Amino acid sequence: MRIARFTTGSDPRFALIEGEPGSEELVVITGDPIYTPVQPTGERVRLDDDAVRLLAPVIPRSKIVGVGRNYADHATEMGNEVPAQPMLFLKPNTAIIGPDDPIVLPDWSDEVSYEAELAIVIGKVTKDVTPDRALAHVFGFTVANDVTARDIQRSDSQWARAKGFDGSCPIGPWIVPGLEVDDLAVRSRVNGETRQDSRTSLMVFDAAFLVSYISEVFTLLPGDVILTGTPAGVGTIVERDVVECEVEEIGTLRNPVLRRH
């Protein structure tokens, strides 16, 4: 099952995605599926209808929790040690944008990077959950791009500005509940050229452990998003680039890059 959030020019709605690639349909459902059972309304809309615009599949009501250096090869390429415990940071919900929304480069950074990641969407209030129960609190999984102002990350003593600016967290194209995520491909492309190509099996801390660990620090609320870290291959993006982040069994998140002049 794939759950999308979309608009045709009016208020956002949720839908199931059905059909083969190129002929998908949006099966419109009532309410917000994080909070209410999935119930089709009977309305169907073709995904390729010109009026359809996919939106970020969730807007966290509380927080986005990022995990730094969760792939050993990425820690190495950045000249860092692999952390003994998950390295956590926060992004505000104003960082969220959706599929095909532009990543607007901030005028105070000259080195902005892409970071393809598996993202976890929380489905229940979660506090001090054990790893063996953690995934029962997950609503589903999506794709994220942890956009980072790398020069600011180096210059600042903490990462709020480097990773929390408006538009620094594209997510989408939809959420997939009930997915096995222990060994999925994670890839990124810039202008069609592959930049990252790894697997979630190479994460230092797996999804269940991350949910458990983070729930000891923060109470996780329905709709909160966890970014599970990025593999090696990160690099700078510039105006007019197109970034694609892909997670196997979920889909591809595409965003153009702009700079306001």
Side-chain angles (χ1 to χ4, degrees):
M1 182 167 63
R2 296 170 289 173
I3 299 175
R5 181 170 165 266
F6 77 103
T7 182
T8 54
S10 56
D11 290 341
R13 295 183 288 169
F14 290 89
L16 307 180
I17 303 288
E18 291 187 357
E20 297 301 316
S23 60
E24 298 102 329
E25 285 189 316
L26 295 161
V27 179
V28 182
I29 59 177
T30 60
D32 184 333
I34 291 180
Y35 299 96
T36 60
V38 171
Q39 191 167 28
T41 66
E43 180 182 0
R44 288 176 172 259
V45 183
R46 283 189 60 88
L47 182 60
D48 60 5
D49 188 309
D50 289 342
V52 169
R53 177 186 166 211
L54 288 182
L55 305 173
V58 64
I59 302 294
R61 290 160 172 77
S62 171
K63 55 192 167 294
I64 304 152
V65 184
V67 180
R69 304 173 192 169
N70 198 32
Y71 287 78
D73 58 358
H74 174 59
T76 299
E77 77 174 345
M78 304 305 292
N80 298 305
E81 298 292 328
V82 175
Q85 296 180 320
M87 177 180 291
L88 306 182
F89 60 91
L90 295 174
K91 285 179 179 263
N93 62 7
T94 49
I96 293 285
I97 58 174
D100 294 313
D101 288 340
I103 298 167
V104 179
L105 302 174
D107 57 12
W108 36 262
S109 173
D110 296 317
E111 188 184 348
V112 175
S113 293
Y114 54 86
E115 294 189 2
E117 310 201 5
L118 171 72
I120 301 167
V121 180
I122 297 298
K124 302 177 183 177
V125 176
T126 304
K127 180 62 179 173
D128 293 329
V129 68
T130 59
D132 62 311
R133 293 288 304 151
L135 295 185
H137 290 247
V138 170
F139 176 71
F141 302 89
T142 189
V143 184
N145 185 354
D146 178 21
V147 181
T148 303
R150 197 70 68 193
D151 49 350
I152 304 304
Q153 186 183 26
R154 290 192 296 265
S155 67
D156 287 3
S157 59
Q158 45 74 41
W159 295 357
R161 188 163 65 119
K163 286 182 172 284
F165 61 89
D166 289 353
S168 63
C169 193
I171 61 172
W174 35 65
I175 296 170
V176 180
L179 187 63
E180 295 287 338
V181 297
D182 288 342
D183 187 29
L184 298 177
V186 178
R187 303 184 180 100
S188 68
R189 293 177 292 275
V190 178
N191 304 326
E193 179 186 343
T194 298
R195 300 292 181 84
Q196 295 174 282
D197 191 352
S198 188
R199 303 195 69 83
T200 57
S201 56
L202 297 176
M203 291 196 299
V204 179
F205 306 104
D206 67 18
F209 182 86
L210 291 176
V211 173
S212 173
Y213 182 88
I214 293 168
S215 78
E216 296 176 355
V217 183
F218 311 110
T219 298
L220 293 165
L221 301 181
D224 282 355
V225 173
I226 296 172
L227 310 181
T228 62
T230 198
V234 301
T236 304
I237 49 176
V238 298
E239 185 176 18
R240 298 187 181 180
D241 280 347
V242 175
V243 184
E244 294 174 297
C245 297
E246 177 187 358
V247 177
E248 185 181 9
E249 302 294 336
I250 299 177
T252 299
L253 171 66
R254 176 190 180 279
N255 297 94
V257 180
L258 299 178
R259 185 181 290 277
R260 291 200 177 102
H261 297 283

